[in-house]
C-alpha cells in the first residue's frame, strides 16, 4: 500500500486485523520484492547499529571542529545523582547527546530519518529496552512503526532541514519515536496517531540554523528535545489524551509551515543561532583554520608527489 | 514510493548524509569508473563542499571512497593515513565549477596502469549522488541502478549491437542516454538497467567494432 496517510494505514490495519507495524513491514516486502525474513533482518541491522553506537560511546572523541564531544558522558554520570526528571529521563537525554555526538565525531550511526536527527529514536528505545527487558522482536516492531510514520511525513511534508527546517528533521524524528514508544507500551493504533500528532505539534516551526553549517550546534542538543518530547507525547497518548487536530492534518500543517520558513532558517546557516555573534565567530574560526589546514595539505601533497613519497599527512 | 529504509537508515558514518556519506559514494564511484586502483588523485572542491567540507569531513570521505570504503566504514576519518599506506597520493584545491550543484567535486585520477580519468559529481541530498561529467563529456547518472558506461567512436552506430546483447541476456533497461563532447567526437552511452549485466555480455559488447571501453557499475545495496 502507499504509505501516504496515517489514517489509511490505521484503516488497513483494522481491516486486516493487523498491527500498524505489520502493514509497514508488508509494504516494504512488496515494494522491494523481499521476504518477511529479509525485511526483518534489514531492520535488525539498523537496531544493532544503534545499540552498538551506544555501547562504544565513551565521550572521549571530539568533532573535527572541536565544538562537540563529551556531553553525553557528563549527562550519563549525572543520571545517577538524583536528576530532576528522574534517572530514566536523564538516560534518555544522555543517549540523545551521545548519539548526536557520535554522528558529529564521524562514528557509525543510523540516519532516522536524517543523520542530524539520528539520536532521537535510539535515545528513547535503548533506555526502555534495558529497563523493561524488552525482546528484540518488539524493538523491530517499534522501528517499523516509526519508519511508517516517517514515510507518511516524507510523503505529505518533508524530512530535511533544507526543505522544512528543523521541525522536519527533529520534529519528524520525535513523532516517529513517540509512535514507537506507544507501540512498545501496548498502545492502540489510534493512540499511535495521537502521539504522532502531539509530538509534531509541539515542535512546529522549529528553525534549522546550524552554526557554521555543521551538524553540531544546535543539532546535538535538539536531539534531546526530540527525545524528551517523544516520551511526553507517548505518555500523554497512553494516558488517553487526544490531539484535537488529527495526525495527517498536523503533518500537512508542518509541511506548510516548512515551505513558509524563510530560506535563512532552512539549513543555509544564515539565520537563527548561526547568525548570532558567537555563531558567526565560530564560522570565521573554522574558515581561517581551514585555510591553514588546506594550504599545508596541498603543499605537503605536492612535495610528496614530487618526491614520490607516500602521502600520509593529516 | 518511499522506501521504508530510506527513512530508517542508511547506516552511515556521520556527520552529514550529503557532505560525508555522499562524498564517500562519489569517491567509490570514481574508483569503479577508473576500473583500477587509483595511485594519484587531484581533488577540486566546489561550493559548499569547499566551504564546510573540512568540518564535515568531506575531504576524508572522498579519499575513503577512492580507497574503496563504504559509507559505514569506521576508518573513514583515518582515510588520509590509510591512503599513505596504500600509496594513493592526493591533493586538494578549492575551485569554481561552472553551473555546478553546490555540493560538487571534480576528481582527476591516475590509476596504477597509468590510466587517467576526470569525473565531476555532485551530492544531491540524503547520500544520493549524480555523476555530471566524465572525461569532459556531460553525462547524468546516479548509481541508483546498475549502469553500463560505454565509450565508442561516433562514426560507428553500436546502439543496436548493445541493445541486442542486452536483450539476449534479458536485462531490462531502465534508462538509456547518449552523450558526446563535440560533433564527431567520441560518444558515451549510459545504460541503466534493473538487473546487473552478466560478465559475458559485458565482454560481448566490448568486442563489438567501434567500442573503445565498457565499464559496468554494479549498484550497491
Ligand atoms: S538544526 Fe538543521 S541541521 Fe541541525 S538537526 Fe536541526 S534540521 Fe538538522
Amino acid at each position: 500500500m502507499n504509505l501516504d496517510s496515517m489514517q489509511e494505514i490505521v484503516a488497513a490495519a483494522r481491516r486486516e486485523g493487523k498491527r500498524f507495524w505489520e502493514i509497514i513491514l508488508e509494504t516494504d516486502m512488496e515494494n522491494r520484492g523481499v521476504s518477511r525474513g529479509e525485511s526483518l533482518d534489514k531492520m535488525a541491522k539498523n537496531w544493532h547499529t544503534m545499540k552498538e553506537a551506544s555501547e562504544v560511546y565513551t565521550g572521549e572523541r571530539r568533532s573535527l571542529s572541536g565544538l562537540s564531544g563529551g556531553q553525553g558522558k557528563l549527562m550519563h554520570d549525572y543520571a545517577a545523582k538524583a536528576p530532576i526528571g528522574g534517572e530514566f529521563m536523564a538516560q534518555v537525554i544522555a543517549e540523545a547527546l551521545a548519539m548526536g555526538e557520535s554522528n558529529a565525531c564521524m562514528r557509525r550511526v543510523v540516519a532516522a530519518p536524517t543523520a542530524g536527527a539520528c539520536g532521537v529514536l535510539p535515545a528513547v528505545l535503548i533506555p526502555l529496552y534495558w529497563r523493561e527487558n524488552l525482546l528484540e522482536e518488539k524493538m523491530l516492531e517499534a522501528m517499523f512503526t516509526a519508519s511508517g510514520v516517517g514515510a507518511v511525513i516524507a510523503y505529505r511534508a518533508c524530512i530535511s532541514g533544507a526543505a522544512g527546517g528543523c521541525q522536519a528533521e527533529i520534529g519528524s524524528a520525535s513523532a516517529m519515536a513517540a509512535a514507537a514508544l506507544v507501540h512498545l507500551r501496548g498502545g492502540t493504533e489510534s493512540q499511535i496517531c495521537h502521539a504522532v500528532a502531539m509530538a509534531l505539534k509541539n515542535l512546529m516551526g522549529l528553525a534549522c540554523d546550524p552554526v557554521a553549517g555543521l551538524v553540531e550546534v544546535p543539532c546535538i542538543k535538539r536531539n534531546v528535545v526530540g527525545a524528551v518530547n517523544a516520551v511526553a507525547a507517548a505518555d500523554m497518548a497512553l494516558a488517553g489524551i487526544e490531539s484535537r487536530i488529527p495526525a495527517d492534518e498536523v503533518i500537512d500543517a508542518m509541511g506548510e509551515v516548512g515551505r513558509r520558513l524563510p530560506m535563512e532558517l532552512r539549513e543555509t546557516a544564515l539565520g537563527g543561532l548561526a547568525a548570532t555573534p558567537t555563531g558567526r565567530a565560530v564560522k570565521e574560526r573554522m574558515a581561517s583554520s581551514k585555510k591553514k589546514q588546506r594550504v599545508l595539505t596541498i603543499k605537503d601533497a605536492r612535495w610528496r608527489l614530487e618526491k614520490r613519497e607516500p602521502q600520509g599527512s593529516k | 514510493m518511499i522506501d521504508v529504509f530510506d527513512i530508517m537508515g542508511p547506516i552511515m558514518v556521520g556527520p552529514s548524509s550529503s557532505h560525508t556519506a555522499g562524498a564517500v559514494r562519489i569517491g567509490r564511484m570514481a574508483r569503479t569508473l577508473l576500473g583500477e586502483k587509483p595511485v594519484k588523485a587531484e581533488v577540486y572542491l566546489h561550493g559548499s563542499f569547499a566551504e564546510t567540507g573540512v568540518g564535515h569531513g568531506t575531504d576524508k570521505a572522498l579519499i575513503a571512497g577512492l580507497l574503496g570504503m563504504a559509507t559505514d566504514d569506521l576508518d573513514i576519518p583515518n582515510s588520509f593515513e590509510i591512503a599513505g599506506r596504500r600509496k594513493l597520493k592526493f591533493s586538494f584545491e578549492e575551485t569554481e565549477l561552472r553551473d555546478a550543484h553546490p555540493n560538487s567535486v571534480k576528481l582527476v585520477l591516475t590509476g596504477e596502469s597509468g590510466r587517467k580519468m576526470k569525473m565531476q559529481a555532485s551530492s544531491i541530498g540524503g547520500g544520493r549522488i549524480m555523476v555530471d561529467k566524465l572525461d569532459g563529456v556531460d553525462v547524468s547518472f546516479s548509481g541508483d541502478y546498475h549502469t553500463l558506461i560505454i565509450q565508442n567512436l561516433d562514426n560507428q552506430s553500436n546502439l543496436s549491437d548493445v541493445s541486442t546483447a542486452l536483450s539476449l541476456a534479458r536485462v531490462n533497461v531502465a534508462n538509456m542516454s547518449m552523450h558526446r563532447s563535440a560533433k564527431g567526437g567520441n560518444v558515451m552511452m549510459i545504460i541503466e538497467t534493473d538487473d546487473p549485466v552478466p560478465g559475458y555480455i559485458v565482454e560481448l559488447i566490448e568486442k563489438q567494432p567501434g567500442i573503445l571501453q565498457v565499464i559496468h557499475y554494479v549498484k550497491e545495496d
Side-chain angles (χ1 to χ4, degrees):
Chain A
M1 81 173 278
N2 285 337
L3 303 177
D4 50 18
S5 122
M6 291 291 293
Q7 205 188 340
E8 273 171 40
I9 298 173
V10 171
R14 289 210 179 111
R15 206 169 45 236
E16 298 170 30
K18 291 178 181 145
R19 297 303 314 269
F20 189 96
W21 71 270
E22 283 180 289
I23 302 290
I24 312 304
L25 169 79
E26 284 166 11
T27 304
D28 177 55
M29 289 162 55
E30 190 188 307
N31 237 354
R32 295 191 300 127
V34 296
S35 70
R36 195 181 172 89
E38 282 170 307
S39 184
L40 283 165
D41 280 353
K42 193 160 180 181
M43 194 56 91
K45 231 172 129 190
N46 282 330
W47 168 239
H48 294 152
T49 304
M50 283 181 184
K51 251 182 25 190
E52 193 189 303
S54 154
E55 278 154 21
V56 301
Y57 173 83
T58 59
E60 276 155 25
R61 290 177 192 274
R62 295 295 175 268
S63 63
L64 291 169
S65 68
L67 287 172
S68 351
Q71 296 162 340
K73 172 87 170 62
L74 284 177
M75 194 63 207
H76 186 78
D77 294 345
Y78 173 74
K81 299 177 190 157
I84 300 165
E87 197 180 341
F88 180 77
M89 206 46 120
Q91 282 167 354
V92 168
I93 297 171
E95 206 62 68
L97 291 169
M99 210 60 73
E101 279 175 29
S102 297
N103 180 53
C105 298
M106 299 189 83
R107 304 298 290 163
R108 193 187 284 146
V109 298
V110 182
T114 60
C118 71
V120 176
L121 205 61
V124 302
L125 291 184
I126 292 171
L128 199 71
Y129 171 75
W130 292 121
R131 189 182 74 180
E132 313 209 335
N133 256 318
L134 296 169
L135 290 174
E136 179 167 307
E137 255 171 70
K138 266 269 154 213
M139 304 314 289
L140 302 189
E141 292 175 16
M143 286 175 71
F144 272 106
T145 307
S147 318
V149 172
V152 173
I153 299 177
Y155 178 83
R156 299 183 82 97
C158 55
I159 53 166
S160 80
C166 201
Q167 54 161 10
E169 275 195 25
I170 295 289
S172 302
S174 190
M176 290 162 63
L181 286 176
V182 170
H183 176 73
L184 286 174
R185 297 307 293 273
T188 64
E189 266 57 40
S190 119
Q191 285 172 326
I192 289 176
C193 292
H194 286 300
V196 166
M198 289 189 279
L200 206 53
K201 282 199 300 190
N202 292 354
L203 292 173
M204 192 156 299
L206 195 61
C208 170
D209 49 356
V211 167
L214 302 174
V215 195
E216 300 190 50
V217 181
C219 316
I220 295 173
K221 288 170 193 134
R222 291 251 170 96
N223 277 276
V224 173
V225 79
V228 171
N229 180 51
V231 173
D235 266 341
M236 282 195 280
L238 289 163
I241 297 170
E242 300 193 338
S243 167
R244 295 281 176 241
I245 316 284
D248 288 324
E249 290 181 33
V250 174
I251 296 170
D252 293 345
M254 187 277 271
E256 203 239 345
V257 169
R259 281 187 293 277
R260 285 177 183 224
L261 276 180
M263 168 278 275
E264 285 82 357
L265 300 180
R266 283 187 281 119
E267 215 181 86
T268 51
L270 295 171
L273 295 168
T276 57
T278 306
R280 282 205 298 264
V282 170
K283 185 177 174 189
E284 271 154 37
R285 206 186 67 219
M286 286 298 295
S288 66
S289 80
K290 181 184 76 173
K291 241 178 239 153
K292 261 186 252 151
Q293 194 180 346
R294 180 72 22 98
V295 168
L296 269 176
T297 310
I298 292 175
K299 240 170 77 187
D300 220 35
R302 287 246 168 87
W303 183 79
R304 280 164 201 271
L305 278 174
E306 278 159 22
K307 297 267 177 213
R308 303 199 159 278
E309 265 187 29
Q311 163 81 32
S313 76
K314 182 157 186 195
Chain B
M1 184 74 214
I2 292 157
D3 183 344
V4 166
F5 289 100
D6 276 345
I7 304 292
M8 193 67 70
I11 295 171
M12 56 170 274
V13 162
S16 157
S17 55
S18 55
H19 284 67
T20 320
V24 174
R25 289 197 63 205
I26 288 175
R28 249 172 102 86
M29 172 64 89
R31 183 186 170 104
T32 309
L33 298 185
L34 182 67
E36 58 187 69
K37 208 181 118 198
V39 293
K40 187 179 154 195
E42 292 165 42
V43 183
Y44 300 90
L45 299 166
H46 165 86
S48 165
F49 263 17
E51 243 177 62
T52 65
V54 171
H56 281 123
T58 305
D59 45 0
K60 295 189 165 77
L62 285 164
I63 300 301
L66 286 171
L67 292 168
M69 292 186 209
T71 49
D72 67 342
D73 197 315
L74 282 174
D75 266 330
I76 292 169
N78 310 321
S79 67
F80 285 8
E81 288 82 352
I82 295 168
R85 288 205 293 279
R86 298 222 209 126
K87 310 269 187 280
L88 165 63
K89 299 164 187 138
F90 60 87
S91 62
F92 284 97
E93 246 169 280
E94 290 181 14
T95 190
E96 286 277 335
L97 299 169
R98 242 188 317 131
D99 300 326
H101 184 281
N103 299 329
S104 286
V105 60
K106 186 171 102 180
L107 296 165
V108 181
L109 301 182
T110 311
E112 54 187 349
S113 76
R115 175 170 142 72
K116 283 191 192 298
M117 188 193 80
K118 272 192 292 188
M119 177 182 114
Q120 184 182 317
S122 46
S123 178
I124 58 174
R128 299 188 55 232
I129 65 166
M130 198 56 93
V131 178
D132 303 310
K133 259 182 198 206
L134 201 55
D135 288 327
V137 181
D138 286 322
V139 294
S140 164
F141 62 96
S142 62
D144 290 345
Y145 292 92
H146 307 287
T147 310
L148 277 178
I149 297 111
I150 304 171
Q151 292 198 47
N152 57 341
L153 297 167
D154 187 30
N155 50 17
Q156 309 260 354
S157 174
N158 302 98
L159 193 55
S160 56
D161 292 346
V162 172
S163 45
T164 312
L166 289 176
S167 57
L168 218 71
R170 301 200 184 290
V171 174
N172 208 21
V173 173
N175 300 300
M176 186 183 258
S177 57
M178 308 263 267
H179 312 267
R180 64 178 168 187
S181 46
K183 197 163 177 356
N186 291 345
V187 170
M188 210 173 288
M189 246 188 268
I190 311 283
I191 301 172
E192 298 184 311
T193 60
D194 289 332
D195 319 288
V197 181
Y200 68 94
I201 296 289
V202 177
E203 272 171 42
L204 185 71
I205 295 174
E206 252 166 1
K207 290 202 186 104
Q208 300 307 307
I211 302 258
L212 300 172
Q213 188 192 35
V214 181
I215 297 164
H216 186 211
Y217 171 84
V218 178
K219 177 180 87 166
E220 295 172 1
D221 190 24

